[in-house]
Amino acid sequence: MFAKKKWLITILVLLVLYGFKQADEYFEISKNLEIFSAVYKTVQSDYVDEVKPGDIMKTGIDAMLKSLDPYTNFYTESQAEDAMIRQRGEYGGVGCRSKKIGEYICITNVFKGLAADKSGLRIGDKIIEINGKSFVNKTDDEVSDVMKGSPGSKINLTIEREGKRIPIEITREEIKINNVTYSGLINEKTGYIRLDHFTMGAGTEVKEALLRLKSQGISQLVLDLRDNGGGLLHEAVNIVNIFVDMDETVVVSRGRAQDAYRAYKTLDRPIDKEIPLIVLVNERSASASEIVCGAIQDLDRGLVIGANTFGKGLVQGIRPLPYRTQMKVTIAKYYIPSGRCIQLLDYSNKDENGKAKSVADSLKREFKTRNGRSVFDGGGVKPDIEVKLPKTAQIITDLENSFLFFDFANQYRNSIEHISSIKDFKIDENIFNSFVDFVSKKSFSSKNKSEINLDKLKESLREDSLFNSELNTSISNLELKLLEAKKAELLKHKVEIKKRLLTEIGIRYYFEDGFFESSFLHDPYISETLEVLSQTSKYNNLLNTK
């Protein structure tokens, strides 16, 4: 009896203490809201220059949320609508991508069969005017906003192609962003699915792609999640479900709020739980991508190949706010089947500059996959086989930064109407030599040290009034020799240059199919994958090695 009374007293004391704690918290919230309101009103009424109420409030909110983590964001009404469009993967537009290159916005991708393609727009076209208004020196966002609009409405462009101004009329249409941007055969028995997004329907798209590939007789599969920054969590679960049994726990979310805890289980029968499976990832594979590859690894359903993933183990929820605004807020951490959380940065632990610290190696814990393999938390998903990419030569980087691969491919496409299939098309010596000649007439975005020092010498000679015709001739000869050396450097890296040209030219004729099918021929990740899949014993041993 005494023990029972003791328990009741203890419970009452705890409840009273909890009540005091809650009261203190409510007081702190109320006090700080009152202070914030007073500061806002004072700035609005007394600041020397006129301020816009909405802008200054948005700045304050953004600064407050930035102190938490990069994923907790406030959305104005228009931003909230854009966020919903991204989640649905649908919008009214023309079906192309663009980027500012120099003073012009240039088309960098055109999606097959959509409005831009049907109107004749091409990669490399420079946007000069939109609906009669100059769009030279505009931003990407300004162009993107104008391109979007109600399906059925028209937009008139003036583009520049090979120095000629061309008018193009495009009828906007409902654009559905495909989650699976490519699926096909690497070889007769190896299927390949490229998943770029986790918007609504991603699981269905992967399922349909797999069924198509199985009808073509594949016996092994590659799921490519490289550069996939994630999206909807439940779509990640749906994708894992394609390869594992019903009622399997894929991910668990846990947070402070009661509704933050949730176990996500597979709900359907799998399509194929036996086919050898490789998941490709890199350092930009994040969030939902990490749930998929991490679950596949933890359940020993397949192998992960590539580079250590980004390490985002946080879950965001959308909360409606007044006046149709919204807030995306981090509500939980997620834990994949082994029980590990792969979050890399600890946003509650920041340095003196406000930068979140990585989870210390000493604090990382060991977990076990279903077959007993060791895996660790606190640092993304470590691949079962790491692929180290060769270092890119400086001249290749210079060519890319100067958009010379891009420009040459545009010129090639505009001079030659058709090429053979991408699997048969080759960058022969004629094309390579044409590229070398093309480059020799252009300037690189960055000069090598020798060229920089030579420019400094010329400037110094001019400043000292020592520059004369004899020196000018000598320097001109030296510049010619440097140009010859640069050509020799191009020849030295001929193989890599041919690979880049094949991909750039391929996408201009065969869209996304051309890009991926040409990249299969020189992708180190694909090479490593095919080697592993060709050795059944190696694949099985890696899955069962403790």
Side-chain angles (χ1 to χ4, degrees):
M1 188 69 179
F2 177 75
K4 189 174 180 181
K5 286 183 178 180
K6 189 176 180 182
W7 267 108
L8 286 171
I9 292 169
T10 302
I11 291 169
L12 286 170
V13 170
L14 289 173
L15 287 171
V16 169
L17 290 174
Y18 180 71
F20 282 137
K21 184 186 176 187
Q22 277 199 316
D24 285 344
E25 285 182 352
Y26 288 139
F27 173 73
E28 280 296 308
I29 292 171
S30 178
K31 181 181 81 173
N32 283 290
L33 282 174
E34 191 175 341
I35 293 170
F36 184 86
S37 177
V39 170
Y40 180 70
K41 289 177 181 177
T42 301
V43 168
Q44 186 63 39
S45 62
D46 297 345
Y47 186 70
V48 62
D49 295 320
E50 186 177 351
V51 295
K52 294 181 179 179
D55 289 351
I56 194 171
M57 179 59 78
K58 178 77 163 57
T59 301
I61 292 171
D62 289 345
M64 175 177 64
L65 299 184
K66 187 178 178 181
S67 70
L68 302 175
D69 64 50
Y71 314 110
T72 297
N73 299 304
F74 168 75
Y75 296 139
T76 63
E77 183 178 348
S78 61
Q79 290 172 328
E81 187 175 344
D82 286 343
M84 289 302 295
I85 287 171
R86 287 194 296 272
Q87 282 195 353
R88 292 195 305 268
E90 296 176 354
Y91 65 95
V94 301
C96 69
R97 287 185 184 142
S98 60
K99 180 177 182 177
K100 189 167 187 179
I101 301 175
E103 60 181 333
Y104 297 103
I105 299 294
C106 292
I107 303 300
T108 56
N109 203 354
V110 176
F111 298 106
K112 184 178 180 180
L114 297 183
D117 175 34
K118 289 184 282 192
S119 71
L121 205 63
R122 291 181 182 176
I123 295 174
D125 288 345
K126 298 175 182 176
I127 296 176
I128 306 300
E129 293 181 349
I130 301 179
N131 293 333
K133 180 182 177 183
S134 174
F135 266 76
V136 177
N137 272 324
K138 296 290 186 180
T139 66
D140 295 340
D141 287 341
E142 286 175 305
V143 171
S144 178
D145 289 343
V146 174
M147 289 289 204
K148 292 174 184 175
S150 303
S153 62
K154 296 185 184 299
I155 183 170
N156 292 289
L157 307 182
T158 299
I159 60 97
E160 184 177 299
R161 181 186 299 162
E162 296 294 309
K164 296 179 181 177
R165 299 272 174 110
I166 303 171
I168 291 180
E169 183 182 79
I170 307 176
T171 302
R172 296 184 183 94
E173 59 187 34
E174 190 72 33
I175 303 295
K176 173 70 173 75
I177 301 171
N178 291 326
N179 294 284
V180 173
T181 48
Y182 175 82
S183 63
L185 301 175
I186 299 176
N187 55 41
E188 60 183 11
K189 64 179 181 179
T190 309
Y192 173 92
I193 298 174
R194 171 73 174 211
L195 184 71
D196 275 335
H197 312 283
F198 282 87
T199 61
M200 292 180 187
T204 299
E205 288 183 42
V206 173
K207 176 181 174 181
E208 290 172 350
L210 176 58
L211 291 173
R212 279 195 306 271
L213 293 170
K214 284 171 69 70
S215 71
Q216 296 173 31
I218 66 162
S219 57
Q220 50 199 30
L221 180 68
V222 179
L223 177 62
D224 193 345
L225 299 179
R226 286 176 291 178
D227 301 318
N228 186 327
L232 300 176
L233 185 148
H234 71 268
E235 292 295 350
V237 178
N238 292 339
I239 290 166
V240 174
N241 195 172
I242 293 168
F243 305 104
V244 305
D245 277 322
M246 185 190 299
D247 205 37
E248 193 79 68
T249 299
V250 174
V251 61
V252 172
S253 65
R254 299 192 192 107
R256 281 202 312 154
Q258 287 185 339
D259 63 346
Y261 177 86
R262 185 174 175 184
Y264 295 83
K265 295 191 175 189
T266 53
L267 301 175
D268 300 312
R269 290 184 180 136
I271 299 300
D272 193 327
K273 62 178 186 175
E274 302 295 336
I275 191 170
L277 174 64
I278 301 289
V279 183
L280 301 182
V281 296
N282 64 8
E283 63 280 359
R284 290 182 295 276
S285 303
S287 192
S289 291
E290 294 175 291
I291 291 174
V292 172
C293 70
I296 294 296
Q297 186 180 66
D298 282 358
L299 298 171
D300 292 305
R301 176 57 189 87
L303 293 175
V304 178
I305 291 180
N308 208 99
T309 62
F310 183 81
K312 180 179 181 289
L314 304 175
V315 180
Q316 283 72 48
I318 299 294
R319 299 292 188 258
L321 299 176
Y323 301 101
R324 300 179 69 180
T325 60
Q326 285 184 353
M327 182 174 170
K328 185 178 73 170
V329 58
T330 300
I331 58 172
K333 293 181 178 178
Y334 69 72
Y335 301 81
I336 50 181
S338 63
R340 58 180 166 147
C341 176
I342 52 84
Q343 176 63 25
L344 172 65
L345 296 177
D346 181 2
Y347 290 103
S348 66
N349 183 20
K350 298 181 180 180
D351 62 20
E352 61 276 9
N353 297 316
K355 187 176 180 180
K357 295 181 180 180
S358 298
V359 176
D361 288 342
S362 60
L363 298 177
K364 292 179 181 178
R365 296 176 298 165
E366 183 180 5
F367 294 81
K368 296 294 183 181
T369 69
R370 181 157 289 176
N371 290 342
R373 296 187 295 150
S374 293
V375 289
F376 295 85
D377 68 357
V381 176
K382 183 179 179 181
D384 301 303
I385 299 174
E386 186 177 1
V387 177
K388 292 188 176 179
L389 298 176
K391 186 178 179 180
T392 303
Q394 184 60 46
I395 194 165
I396 300 295
T397 302
D398 287 344
L399 290 167
E400 287 181 337
N401 291 341
S402 303
F403 294 96
L404 292 178
F405 290 122
F406 181 82
D407 290 341
F408 178 80
N410 296 334
Q411 179 179 287
Y412 189 90
R413 170 66 183 89
N414 292 326
S415 61
I416 297 175
E417 191 63 29
H418 301 288
I419 63 172
S420 57
S421 72
I422 196 63
K423 291 182 179 178
D424 297 327
F425 180 70
K426 299 289 187 293
I427 302 297
D428 58 23
E429 289 303 300
N430 287 333
I431 297 175
F432 177 77
N433 290 332
S434 295
F435 178 72
V436 173
D437 290 341
F438 177 82
V439 169
S440 68
K441 298 170 185 174
K442 305 286 183 177
S443 61
F444 287 84
S445 62
S446 60
K447 295 182 177 182
N448 59 35
K449 289 182 180 178
S450 300
E451 291 172 310
I452 292 170
N453 288 331
L454 184 58
D455 286 343
K456 288 180 179 177
L457 175 61
K458 287 162 66 177
E459 186 63 30
S460 178
L461 288 169
R462 286 193 182 96
E463 288 175 357
D464 294 337
S465 301
L466 297 174
F467 200 76
N468 55 39
S469 59
E470 186 179 349
L471 279 172
N472 184 44
T473 301
S474 298
I475 289 173
S476 295
N477 289 334
L478 187 53
E479 285 175 331
L480 286 172
K481 289 184 182 296
L482 282 173
L483 181 59
E484 290 301 317
K486 227 168 193 181
K487 286 186 177 181
E489 189 75 1
L490 292 173
L491 289 171
K492 180 181 175 182
H493 297 283
K494 180 191 285 190
V495 173
E496 182 62 27
I497 288 171
K498 282 188 170 185
K499 291 175 183 176
R500 305 294 175 110
L501 288 174
L502 180 63
T503 302
E504 283 285 355
I505 292 174
I507 195 172
R508 280 156 179 77
Y509 290 92
Y510 295 103
F511 303 91
E512 296 290 325
D513 291 6
F515 175 83
F516 289 110
E517 289 175 14
S518 63
S519 67
F520 290 158
L521 305 173
H522 54 81
D523 187 339
Y525 284 68
I526 297 295
S527 300
E528 183 66 41
T529 295
L530 293 178
E531 183 180 341
V532 172
L533 289 173
S534 68
Q535 305 172 58
T536 304
S537 59
K538 181 178 181 179
Y539 176 87
N540 290 330
N541 287 338
L542 284 168
L543 280 176
N544 290 285
T545 300
K546 294 186 179 182

